[in-house]
Amino acid sequence: FDETLSMVELQLEKLSPIPVTQIVWTMHILPQASAENLQTVIVVIAERGAGEEFLGKLEGQNFLADRLETPMLDQLAAANAVEDGAWIYPLPFAGQNAALVAWWIGGALRNLSFLILPPAGDRAADLKNQLAHFMWAGELEGWLTSRPKWHLVADPVNAAEWENLLR
């Protein structure tokens, strides 16, 4: 863990779209894929101002956070995706429907995407459009070579809504 942490810290300037002095970050290490000799590390970067604003609210309630929490990534690791395809993890986000989309191909996580659905309009068409863009990116990068299988990981309430959108 310490070696991976050091390697990520050394690469932060290359990884971050924001200057390193203006970010808060965390990382999540996934189990090593058996098909490859590579370790997958997910780095989550947030603007420091947004993080401090949120932390200020927590501190006002006498809670001191010592790290960024990433429950979506904990859920991703716990799901143990053993089949290739796109794994969709719906979640509420700032009053909107959102989802984390994990693309597992060849036993390895190839891409991690985040999508947000509009509150109104043709949400199914918007979802289809966003997923199509992710698929095109996978084809261009060379890791998506066939039509993906879709996997929905959700509680019963979210599953019903997302199943309708995905159909």
Side-chain angles (χ1 to χ4, degrees), residues 23-140:
I23 65 169
V24 291
W25 66 279
T26 189
M27 68 177 195
H28 196 90
I29 301 172
L30 294 180
Q32 188 166 344
S34 59
E36 297 185 7
N37 193 19
L38 297 174
Q39 180 71 57
T40 301
V41 178
I42 300 169
V43 179
V44 178
I45 298 171
E47 185 214 354
R48 181 175 296 283
E52 288 175 350
E53 179 182 329
F54 181 72
L55 288 175
K57 292 177 186 175
L58 292 177
E59 290 168 356
Q61 300 169 6
N62 294 324
F63 179 79
L64 298 176
D66 62 349
R67 65 185 183 107
L68 293 175
E69 295 290 329
T70 54
M72 291 181 297
L73 298 181
D74 294 338
Q75 185 180 13
L76 174 71
N80 193 18
V82 294
E83 186 177 7
D84 284 357
W87 293 72
I88 301 171
Y89 302 86
L91 66 145
F93 179 74
Q96 296 179 314
N97 284 347
L100 185 70
V101 184
W103 300 84
W104 293 91
I105 306 294
L109 180 66
R110 302 296 176 175
N111 186 284
L112 195 56
S113 308
F114 190 70
L115 60 85
I116 297 178
L117 295 180
D122 191 348
R123 298 171 48 167
D126 190 73
L127 175 61
K128 180 180 177 182
N129 193 20
Q130 288 185 58
L131 291 173
H133 282 90
F134 298 150
M135 290 173 59
W136 293 334
E139 290 170 356
L140 288 172

